[in-house]
Amino acid sequence: MPVPYYITTPIYYVNDVPHIGHAYTTIAADVAARWQRLNGRDVRFLTGTDEHGQKVMRAAAKLGRTSQEHVDITHERFKTLWTRLGIQYDDFIRTTEPRHQEVVRGFLQQLWEKGEIYPKDYAGWYSTSAERFWSDEEVAEAAWKALKSPAFPAEEAVAKLKAGELVGRCPDSGQAVEWITERNYFFRMSAYQERLLAHIEANPRCIQPENRKNEVLGFLKKPLEDLCISRPAARLPWGIPLPFAEDYVTYVWFDALSNYVSALGPVGGELHRRYWPADVHLVGKDILTFHTVYWFSMLMALGLQPPKQVYAHGWWTIKREKMSKSLGNVIDPLKLVDVFGVDATRYFLLREIPFGYDGDYSPDAAILRFNSDLVNDFSNLVHRIVKWAGTPVGEAGPLPELDAELLVVAERATAGFRAQMETLQFRDALEALWELVRAGNKYVDTAAPWALAKNGDTARLAQVLRALREVQRIVASYLHPFCPTACGEVLARLGLAGPDLRVAFDVLPAGATARAGDPLFMRLDIEPTLVALGAAPAALAAPAEAPAPKSKTPPAKEAPVSEPVAAPAAPANITYDDFAKIALRIGVVLSAEKHPNADRLLVLKVDVGEPEPRQIVAGIAKVYAPEDLVGRRITVVTNLAPAKLRGVESQGMLLAAGGSDIASILSPIHDVPAGSIVK
Ligand code: ME8
């Protein structure tokens, strides 16, 4: 019996225009689902749309539609996008479907009968944009932030809020909140605090990555409150009515979270027994608390098991700000598909940033990644031997040393790939596999099939073709979940119906030929591609003559740190010898934390290829959160005399670019090893 594997994405707000953030989670889930299917698991992959709530109702009214008409139209945007992106979901759930509503009403009735839900008069700050209540301190802090006041004097701000001198704001949207008093229904979530902690302790992998788990544990240190799970229908009719109080509708998050169970049909039914608890809920870090604290306690109250894992990935950002419709900075995944194709879009999104961390979107990086990995490495591996497509492979047999070495690389690369896929480390899985792609290309150089053909060494040529086509098969089979179209094509050219994960050079039948074809990916020129992506190339966007930089002398006592201030005017020309005095190396950030005495400084531990990591203090805390830096490659001046910055020694300096309000650390495009010389 194949082992079940149930994976889900969030159900997206139907109102939103899907962007690469939504595409990211769904592609990640699709890749994981395809990989598990390839390995024989009984996979169920669920996605869908979240269709209730005030925002939907308002958007529909604006367009002169009923809410139902509106969601019937808008949810299609997601379905269309998933089709374009090659997403093979097994089920698409909509929260307006009767099958979902029935289950939600059943859950509510059950909790009501058990006494887990009770009515209470409640007064609080309500945000219509976030559709939730916030505490005094939360809305006061958000109001303070909006005023751009530096420190937050909590007590003073709350006092002003209560006196009506400060307009409270929603921490999510920044919009003004309203004070509302109403009777509502509450779920006794506070009763689950200890059980939640015990569950997380007993199931250490149930929230991943580790830093997200720690965030939830931190949240659970504060007393947990009961959860308001209703909204008066008079104010918000667009929702699922409570079965025991039909003049109320269910809070959208109670409604939405239940989708993961409702999509499996009745509790105790065939699908439910087969797939629950889910193996993994993939979500963005923005909705971690809902998926752990709220959802786990709801399930516990219902006598159901929590999911085996909630994996919260990071955000795609634009200039370090979260991509979102309200900020108007969203990137349309279809644009990427038009320019790069489906496979490359899927590849890029998962290759570029470690799963779990934030990453800044850059069209230049997408083009470079495309040209280097897909054109130079992968496509090349397939195309370089295309002229011998009609030449049969030789018999499988004992491998000469060169071929045996290639097989060892294949074993190592695929084992690495497997291990990384188990923990959803897509980037690292691809990096592991790329060792084989590069080794395959190197093997072509060394084995030199053109020379064998020229010298009439047909026996060795047939052997070399076997090794190379087997490598093509292995790479295309493992890469298939990421790039299904291109890999399907490679496998078809080899005469195979689909992926074959065996790591051996005796899989293809003796005498098999291949089918020739065009290169899988063709190099893209940077400038026209940037234009096609809607991003002006820097050269075109720059003013004809840059204004002369104003010279500013750094404060006398301050040691030089890498921070975005105007540099002192540099001499017009220096000799190469002057330049060569600076030792520059690539470093990998091992850890990063806030400086104990300075808000703008971070203290990094950086591997620069020496026996011990260096400690580097850098003035980049306003632009980078410590957790965003771990694992990144940076450029370090390694022969700068050590200096103390606010009491902490800095053994070098990192390079960063930008004006006084933006800064970007300088990272190499390729993952060159720590300690690589920069010249
Ligand atoms: O929160 N980077 O729906 P939503 C990476 N309906 N991922 C991103 C992203 C970004 N910039 N922006 C969005 C909801 N996402 C609720 C969910 S589930 C029971 C209910 C992805 O449309 C990421 O997965 O706002 C994030 O968690 C999700 O979209 C939020 O989608």
Side-chain angles (χ1 to χ4, degrees):
M1 270 289 277
V3 184
Y5 182 82
Y6 182 29
I7 183 165
T8 66
T9 72
I11 48 170
Y12 304 106
Y13 287 128
V14 73
N15 247 6
D16 281 356
V17 177
H19 57 67
I20 60 166
H22 306 111
Y24 183 53
T25 320
T26 311
I27 292 171
D30 185 58
V31 168
R34 283 173 181 263
W35 172 245
Q36 296 295 344
R37 270 187 218 115
L38 262 186
N39 283 280
R41 299 280 295 266
D42 165 21
V43 171
R44 189 155 187 95
F45 167 20
L46 173 73
T47 187
T49 38
D50 190 352
E51 305 195 345
H52 287 127
Q54 202 144 27
K55 277 187 268 181
V56 170
M57 212 173 78
R58 286 192 187 151
K62 249 193 196 166
L63 294 164
R65 297 173 181 154
T66 65
S67 298
Q68 189 64 53
E69 280 165 356
H70 182 66
V71 296
D72 286 347
I73 294 168
T74 47
H75 88 279
E76 289 289 347
R77 289 195 289 233
F78 286 90
K79 283 191 173 160
T80 309
L81 177 63
W82 303 152
T83 306
R84 285 288 301 278
L85 287 171
I87 306 297
Q88 288 183 339
Y89 53 80
D90 297 291
D91 193 4
F92 188 106
I93 183 122
R94 302 176 55 196
T95 54
T96 51
E97 287 177 87
R99 62 169 174 152
H100 171 73
Q101 307 209 23
E102 268 161 38
V103 171
V104 173
R105 279 167 68 85
F107 280 175
L108 288 162
Q109 186 63 33
Q110 202 183 325
L111 295 180
W112 175 248
E113 283 167 16
K114 280 186 176 170
E116 295 276 359
I117 289 178
Y118 64 96
K120 185 177 84 172
D121 283 332
Y122 182 81
W125 297 109
Y126 186 74
S127 156
T128 37
S129 53
E131 296 181 3
R132 56 164 287 187
F133 287 96
W134 299 98
S135 69
D136 288 345
E137 191 161 325
E138 284 165 334
V139 300
E141 186 169 7
W144 214 257
K145 265 194 197 149
L147 295 173
K148 301 215 181 318
S149 299
F152 170 58
E155 274 177 32
E156 183 193 331
V158 168
K160 284 193 174 204
L161 178 81
K162 289 189 169 160
E165 292 163 20
L166 181 71
V167 178
R169 296 196 171 271
C170 168
D172 271 1
S173 66
Q175 286 174 15
V177 290
E178 286 172 74
W179 182 258
I180 284 185
T181 308
E182 65 188 21
R183 164 153 286 228
N184 264 311
Y185 290 84
F186 287 77
F187 163 51
R188 295 186 197 281
M189 192 164 75
S190 59
Y192 289 88
Q193 185 143 12
E194 292 309 317
R195 283 180 60 183
L196 285 169
L197 284 166
H199 179 83
I200 298 169
E201 197 178 323
N203 300 276
R205 298 195 54 78
C206 72
I207 305 171
Q208 286 292 302
E210 283 301 303
N211 59 340
R212 299 288 164 228
K213 181 171 83 181
N214 293 336
E215 225 172 77
V216 175
L217 290 173
F219 183 89
L220 286 172
K221 281 203 181 113
K222 289 182 273 175
L224 199 55
E225 291 185 2
D226 287 348
L227 180 68
C228 177
I229 52 95
S230 68
R231 300 287 181 263
R235 177 155 63 77
L236 203 178
W238 186 237
I240 303 176
L242 299 187
F244 47 85
E246 299 273 347
D247 48 345
Y248 283 84
V249 299
T250 314
Y251 167 48
V252 276
W253 273 101
F254 190 99
D255 171 351
L257 288 163
S258 306
N259 90 87
Y260 302 122
V261 172
S262 73
L264 297 176
V267 170
E270 202 269 315
L271 284 180
H272 183 90
R273 276 184 284 123
R274 188 154 142 205
Y275 293 112
W276 194 260
D279 289 80
V280 55
H281 290 329
L282 277 192
V283 297
K285 65 180 185 181
D286 46 335
I287 52 177
L288 176 67
T289 314
F290 297 109
H291 278 83
T292 50
V293 179
Y294 292 22
W295 183 222
F296 286 15
S297 49
M298 278 167 65
L299 287 164
M300 286 172 177
L302 288 161
L304 296 173
Q305 285 184 58
K308 289 180 206 154
Q309 186 170 91
V310 172
Y311 195 107
H313 63 67
W315 284 340
W316 278 96
T317 57
I318 301 281
K319 299 205 173 93
R320 315 301 306 168
E321 282 203 274
K322 187 186 179 212
M323 192 180 303
S324 79
K325 195 170 71 170
S326 49
L327 291 172
N329 60 358
V330 297
I331 303 292
D332 178 1
L334 290 178
K335 185 78 136 195
L336 298 191
V337 172
D338 287 343
V339 173
F340 296 111
V342 174
D343 283 344
T345 301
R346 294 167 60 104
Y347 178 85
F348 167 71
L349 290 177
L350 292 180
R351 173 64 183 80
E352 209 51 20
I353 51 176
F355 205 58
Y357 292 95
D358 289 352
D360 215 38
Y361 168 77
S362 136
D364 305 65
I367 300 169
L368 292 169
R369 179 65 69 197
F370 180 90
N371 283 341
S372 74
D373 293 16
L374 296 179
V375 180
N376 278 4
D377 297 341
F378 178 47
S379 189
N380 210 16
L381 177 69
V382 175
H383 207 65
R384 285 174 80 188
I385 54 165
V386 76
K387 69 190 261 200
W388 295 286
T391 309
V393 297
E395 291 277 349
L399 299 178
E401 200 181 330
L402 190 67
D403 302 23
E405 277 170 13
L406 185 60
L407 184 56
V408 169
V409 175
E411 281 159 358
R412 186 167 58 231
T414 52
F417 180 94
R418 273 186 187 283
Q420 300 295 353
M421 287 299 281
E422 276 316 298
T423 50
L424 303 173
Q425 291 308 302
F426 303 105
R427 181 192 75 151
D428 298 345
L430 289 168
E431 251 176 30
L433 188 62
W434 242 245
E435 190 196 350
L436 178 59
V437 179
R438 291 199 197 99
N441 277 317
K442 207 161 150 220
Y443 174 93
V444 182
D445 297 336
T446 317
W450 47 88
L452 299 171
K454 196 169 152 205
N455 299 338
D457 191 348
T458 48
R460 177 64 184 143
L461 179 62
Q463 201 172 31
V464 165
L465 289 178
R466 164 172 291 281
L468 279 168
R469 291 206 197 124
E470 295 280 17
V471 166
Q472 287 181 8
R473 172 187 60 76
I474 296 167
V475 169
S477 298
Y478 282 77
L479 188 61
H480 195 275
F482 292 83
C483 302
T485 314
C487 293
E489 170 65 15
V490 174
L491 295 168
R493 287 184 194 178
L494 293 171
L496 301 170
D500 182 330
L501 297 174
R502 281 176 286 172
V503 184
F505 285 179
D506 57 4
V507 172
L508 295 171
T513 55
R515 176 162 58 74
D518 291 335
L520 301 169
F521 298 99
M522 300 283 275
R523 171 167 289 281
L524 291 171
D525 287 334
I526 294 184
E527 301 225 335
T529 310
L530 283 175
V531 173
L533 286 168
L540 301 179
E545 217 174 299
K550 280 192 201 137
S551 132
K552 182 173 154 195
T553 317
K557 280 188 221 133
E558 191 83 4
V561 292
S562 346
E563 61 167 334
V565 294
N573 290 314
I574 58 167
T575 63
Y576 182 77
D577 287 348
D578 284 337
F579 171 72
K581 286 179 190 153
I582 304 171
L584 293 167
R585 293 258 192 286
I586 295 301
V588 176
V589 180
L590 304 176
S591 70
E593 54 192 42
K594 293 192 170 139
H595 190 293
N597 312 318
D599 284 350
R600 70 196 171 86
L601 298 178
L602 292 183
V603 182
L604 315 179
K605 286 272 173 357
V606 184
D607 175 3
V608 289
E610 297 167 338
E612 291 297 320
R614 297 254 189 146
Q615 176 165 287
I616 292 177
V617 182
I620 52 172
K622 290 213 173 108
V623 191
Y624 293 97
E627 66 271 18
D628 293 345
L629 290 170
V630 178
R632 275 193 195 262
R633 284 172 166 70
I634 59 173
T635 314
V636 181
V637 182
T638 52
N639 62 344
L640 198 68
K644 277 207 167 160
L645 297 172
R646 294 287 190 95
V648 177
E649 184 173 273
S650 185
Q651 301 153 341
M653 181 174 98
L654 66 76
L655 297 189
S660 58
D661 57 351
I662 57 149
S664 167
I665 52 171
L666 298 189
S667 294
I669 289 165
H670 297 294
D671 290 349
V672 291
S676 298
I677 292 172
V678 180
K679 53 185 181 181

